Amino acid sequence: MQYITKHHVTLLSHNVKTGPMTVTRSTTDTCPKSCPLLDAGCYDQAGNGGIHRRKVDALAYKTLTIDQFFEAIPDFSRLYRLNEGGDLWNGKTTEHISHVLLKRFADINKHWRKTAIVYTHKACVGKRSHWKIRKSNREAIKSADAPHAINVSVESLSEVDQALEFGLDTVTVLPFNTGKGVTLTPKGNRVVTCPATYNKTQCTTCGGKKGPLCARKGRDYAIGFPAHGASKKSLTSRILNNAV
């Protein structure tokens, strides 16, 4: 199936994890083909996430073009979740982050004083994709100068170390039975377990007045999300086998 990048926007979602806020999705064409979780444990391909993903891809929901999406941002909640499913806008390929579109996105959020919770699984460190692509993606994030974190999602604790060395805000997946507390990387960096995974904290209440931990730009620690969903045990096995 040939996808054309579109966005689905829920202006006020009551998702139990996020709390009342705007939540968006992009079509699957934004996901990097190198993602090791595609068709192999991606949480958004199963359960309710999978249902929504397939409907967005099929344009069964009302969707917006990229331009329409940017024009809609002023109507979003002050804190919002970008792409609960999908990834950042493509550059030359699905592996590349578009410098132009990410900069435009960052500038709009800055102008309207919006805080977006953002993650990307396009490669910035590690061994996925060509090194020139990883470098280009890091540069796209840095040059965007967003008013909030643009989190690089990595696959191991050693990749957390690499990402933090590059000054990137970072998140990673942890074993499914990881609870409250801090996990240390091989180089002694901290991975703080997302509070919403072990108590009633929501994105809207996380971090108090300073806002959600994962939206804080320039932090010196990563955020960890215990594997969840139907594939949590197989994901945990993969994480442990790739621990360093």
Side-chain angles (χ1 to χ4, degrees):
M1 180 178 181
Q2 182 65 44
Y3 296 121
I4 299 173
T5 300
K6 294 275 192 165
H7 293 275
H8 174 63
V9 177
T10 302
L11 281 177
L12 186 59
S13 171
H14 290 282
N15 183 299
V16 132
K17 291 184 179 179
T18 64
M21 64 163 63
T22 300
V23 175
T24 80
R25 284 177 168 272
S26 65
T27 40
T28 305
D29 69 311
T30 56
C31 291
K33 299 298 186 289
S34 66
C35 173
L37 300 181
L38 281 178
D39 302 315
C42 173
Y43 77 93
D44 200 50
Q45 288 182 304
N48 287 332
I51 293 171
H52 290 309
R53 165 173 280 212
R54 289 187 290 275
K55 286 187 175 181
V56 172
D57 285 343
L59 306 184
Y61 290 146
K62 178 182 177 181
T63 55
L64 305 178
T65 65
I66 295 174
D67 284 339
Q68 290 171 333
F69 177 80
F70 287 149
E71 290 169 1
I73 289 177
D75 295 325
F76 291 3
S77 55
R78 186 196 65 78
L79 173 68
Y80 69 96
R81 171 73 160 93
L82 178 76
N83 297 344
E84 184 180 35
D87 210 305
L88 295 179
W89 303 275
N90 298 333
K92 293 180 182 179
T93 70
T94 63
E95 303 299 317
H96 293 81
I97 296 172
S98 169
H99 287 235
V100 172
L101 293 177
L102 187 60
K103 176 61 175 172
R104 184 177 170 191
F105 168 75
D107 287 346
I108 292 171
N109 283 323
K110 193 178 297 184
H111 177 78
W112 292 100
R113 297 184 180 181
K114 303 290 184 179
T115 298
I117 297 173
V118 185
Y119 311 109
T120 181
H121 209 189
K122 295 182 190 289
C124 294
V125 297
K127 297 180 180 178
R128 282 197 298 118
S129 301
H130 192 279
W131 70 266
K132 289 184 179 179
I133 295 176
R134 298 195 297 268
K135 181 180 179 183
S136 175
N137 289 342
R138 294 194 300 268
E139 290 172 348
I141 291 171
K142 292 285 188 178
S143 61
D145 191 28
H148 46 69
I150 297 175
N151 291 286
V152 173
S153 181
V154 301
E155 278 116 42
S156 70
L157 295 179
S158 61
E159 287 188 4
V160 170
D161 285 330
Q162 292 177 42
L164 291 176
E165 285 176 5
F166 280 114
L168 298 168
D169 294 304
T170 310
V171 298
T172 193
V173 181
L174 296 171
F176 77 89
N177 54 357
T178 305
K180 178 180 179 180
V182 174
T183 301
L184 294 180
T185 68
K187 293 189 176 180
N189 285 305
R190 295 175 297 150
V191 180
V192 178
T193 303
C194 169
T197 64
Y198 58 80
N199 63 30
K200 294 183 179 180
T201 299
Q202 295 178 311
C203 297
T204 51
T205 58
C206 179
K209 292 183 179 179
K210 293 184 178 180
L213 302 183
C214 62
R216 297 181 187 179
K217 184 177 180 179
R219 59 180 190 271
D220 62 356
Y221 56 91
I223 305 296
F225 297 90
H228 59 283
S231 301
K232 65 182 180 181
K233 290 186 178 179
S234 61
L235 285 176
T236 293
S237 177
R238 182 181 301 170
I239 293 164
L240 294 176
N241 289 331
N242 195 34
V244 295

